[in-house]
Amino acid sequence: MILVTGGAGFIGSNFILDWIAHEQSSVINLDKLTYAGNQNNLATLQGNARHVFVQGDICDAELVRGLLSMHKPRAIIHFAAESHVDRSIHGPAEFMQTNINGTFTLLEEAKTYWQTLSGEEQSAFRFLHVSTDEVYGSLGADDAPFTETTAYAPNSPYSASKAASDHLVRAYHHTYGFPTLTTNCSNNYGAYQFPEKLIPLIILNALNGNPLPIYGDGQNIRDWLYVGDHCTAIREVLAKGRLGETYNIGGWNEMTNLDVVHTVCSILDELKPAADGKPYASLITYVKDRPGHDRRYAIDARKIEKELGWKPVETFETGIHKTVRWYLEHAKWIENVTSGEYRTWIGKQYGAAS
Ligand code: NAD
Ligand code: TYD
């Protein structure tokens, strides 16, 4: 058994599907089902005894304790978090609660559980903390990409809360010898991503003939990684990573937001031309910049490649084609996630422009 937190979210659900396909052991999936959690992401596992879903909060120490003593997992893969920068600007409290207090609760309960394990089980146990490149702050155009030794300099409430959780994980290893692994990954894209994030938001807005909102001048740079490659990297780190270490994971694929949006538009032009015959890029609309918007993220992923032999399989071209196709083929999934709460968020963030 492994325990996955946040397994009904974007990356967590991709990870569970990948795990069930490639590994032998079962998964307990602890997820609170916030607006970002969606059991439809795991619909193909319905009736599969290797996936046990538990709705609950990682901040609930008693629940976590009970799950650990009942299922005796050999590893915890910790995805659960509030994950959207713009939401952290509107309402940071939830980010502090889940990302910091939740990670603390999980670490505390996991450490206590780990201390009760017998020698062999104890040395095999792993706590893998899934984090982000945003903890390193923002790069200038000519700066070298982030390495594992780059100083932390988080700029948003989201990245600050993730940085705090990374520090807690580090401290539990250093102080208690608790067997941790931390991964810091760049921007993911792929199936099941909630359409508040750039790529699925652009796909859905384009298909609905709505404006495609570009913050600021559109020249901010992100490194994009296909979610399937992230999942493979996490499995490699879990299997072979050195205890207490952190591993940067990235796609070697830096792009400006404007280039990303143009790429998505031209794939849509090819696969599903707009009814009015206009190119989707004609919907691009420049909107007010995000406060404190980080200019550039770039990941140096040489450590994981050298130590563990991991490299991304997808290029941006192959990954983004798969992704756009997936959204075109999953109208029902889209319909489900874009009801209620989603409309409230879009109204709040984009106002009349939406
Ligand atoms: P997501 O927002 O899609 O999913 C988060 C999941 O966590 C949801 O299913 C939600 O219900 C659950 N959750 C939230 N609060 C919880 C709580 N208190 N208790 C239990 N479950 C809770 O996020 P994602 O994009 O899948 O990201 C997963 C992890 O990967 C996060 O830790 C994030 O910081 C990290 N990460 C994301 C990216 C990215 O590009 N999306 C990149 C690098 C790292
Ligand atoms: P996002 O997907 O929110 O990820 P992150 O902020 O974690 O990198 O945003 C990716 C980039 O796209 C970021 O520079 C902000 C920008 N962006 C827009 O220009 N317009 C939008 O509507 C959104 C959601 C993001």
Side-chain angles (χ1 to χ4, degrees), residues 8 97 286:
Q97 178 62 10
Y286 290 87

Side-chain angles (χ1 to χ4, degrees), residues 9-11 31-32 34 37 57-58 79 83 98 131 158 162 188:
F10 163 49
I11 306 174
D31 195 298
K32 188 179 173 183
T34 67
D57 194 330
I58 56 165
F79 293 95
S83 70
T98 286
S131 193
Y158 163 66
K162 290 296 289 188
N188 283 214

Side-chain angles (χ1 to χ4, degrees), residues 71-83:
H71 296 287
K72 306 217 174 311
R74 69 169 172 87
I76 298 176
I77 322 296
H78 177 35
F79 293 95
E82 288 293 334
S83 70

Side-chain angles (χ1 to χ4, degrees), residues 35 82-96 155-158 196 215 287-292 341-351:
Y35 78 91
E82 288 293 334
S83 70
H84 190 34
V85 174
D86 293 324
R87 287 190 193 246
S88 82
I89 295 168
H90 285 282
E94 209 50 45
F95 287 71
M96 307 309 140
N155 289 319
S156 72
Y158 163 66
E196 63 187 355
Y215 298 164
V287 301
K288 194 165 158 289
D289 207 355
R290 169 188 284 173
E341 201 281 341
Y342 182 70
R343 293 210 195 105
T344 313
W345 165 251
I346 294 294
K348 187 168 174 181
Q349 174 68 2
Y350 302 97

Side-chain angles (χ1 to χ4, degrees), residues 62-336:
E62 230 169 280
L63 172 68
V64 172
R65 198 174 311 144
L67 287 175
L68 292 174
S69 77
M70 189 195 313
H71 296 287
K72 306 217 174 311
R74 69 169 172 87
I76 298 176
I77 322 296
H78 177 35
F79 293 95
E82 288 293 334
S83 70
H84 190 34
V85 174
D86 293 324
R87 287 190 193 246
S88 82
I89 295 168
H90 285 282
E94 209 50 45
F95 287 71
M96 307 309 140
Q97 178 62 10
T98 286
N99 299 2
I100 305 178
N101 291 331
T103 301
F104 166 66
T105 303
L106 204 59
L107 280 168
E108 195 50 23
E109 291 306 324
K111 182 200 63 161
T112 306
Y113 159 73
W114 167 75
Q115 285 169 336
T116 67
L117 295 175
S118 68
E120 210 173 295
E121 284 172 334
Q122 196 174 75
S123 51
F125 186 80
R126 298 287 181 271
F127 183 100
L128 192 153
H129 175 60
V130 179
S131 193
T132 167
D133 60 356
E134 304 193 22
V135 296
Y136 298 119
S138 184
L139 292 169
D142 299 324
D143 291 340
F146 303 129
T147 70
E148 288 78 1
T149 55
T150 301
Y152 273 36
N155 289 319
S156 72
Y158 163 66
S159 55
S161 66
K162 290 296 289 188
S165 67
D166 294 8
H167 292 327
L168 286 169
V169 172
R170 178 191 157 89
Y172 269 66
H173 175 72
H174 191 83
T175 305
Y176 306 109
F178 186 56
T180 63
L181 297 157
T182 298
T183 55
N184 294 89
C185 188
S186 59
N187 285 58
N188 283 214
Y189 66 96
Y192 303 112
Q193 187 167 30
F194 192 75
E196 63 187 355
K197 305 276 168 64
L198 180 69
I199 289 178
L201 180 97
I202 293 300
I203 299 172
L204 264 56
N205 280 18
L207 293 174
N208 291 324
N210 288 335
L212 310 182
I214 305 278
Y215 298 164
D217 62 3
Q219 295 304 313
N220 300 68
I221 291 173
R222 298 291 181 265
D223 168 53
W224 293 94
L225 180 71
Y226 186 66
V227 65
D229 278 323
H230 188 185
C231 294
T232 318
I234 291 173
R235 286 200 287 115
E236 289 293 334
V237 173
L238 182 65
K240 301 188 282 194
R242 285 186 294 131
L243 294 186
E245 290 290 313
T246 70
Y247 293 90
N248 280 358
I249 304 172
W252 298 107
N253 180 62
E254 287 183 57
M255 288 177 80
T256 65
N257 292 338
L258 205 55
D259 282 344
V260 168
V261 172
H262 275 289
T263 306
V264 168
C265 288
S266 55
I267 297 172
L268 282 172
D269 287 338
E270 172 198 320
L271 297 180
K272 199 170 196 290
D276 62 8
K278 288 194 189 150
Y280 286 107
S282 64
L283 295 168
I284 287 176
T285 307
Y286 290 87
V287 301
K288 194 165 158 289
D289 207 355
R290 169 188 284 173
H293 196 175
D294 284 339
R295 194 63 175 167
R296 174 176 167 237
Y297 303 142
I299 279 275
D300 182 334
R302 278 179 297 182
K303 178 178 173 182
I304 188 171
E305 180 174 351
K306 197 160 141 253
E307 282 191 18
L308 310 182
W310 175 88
K311 270 199 302 207
V313 169
E314 302 290 343
T315 62
F316 189 69
E317 203 185 328
T318 58
I320 195 69
H321 264 89
K322 279 191 190 177
T323 304
V324 174
R325 265 183 210 286
W326 187 88
Y327 280 90
L328 288 173
E329 287 162 5
H330 289 80
K332 192 86 203 138
W333 184 91
I334 293 170
E335 201 183 302
N336 250 297

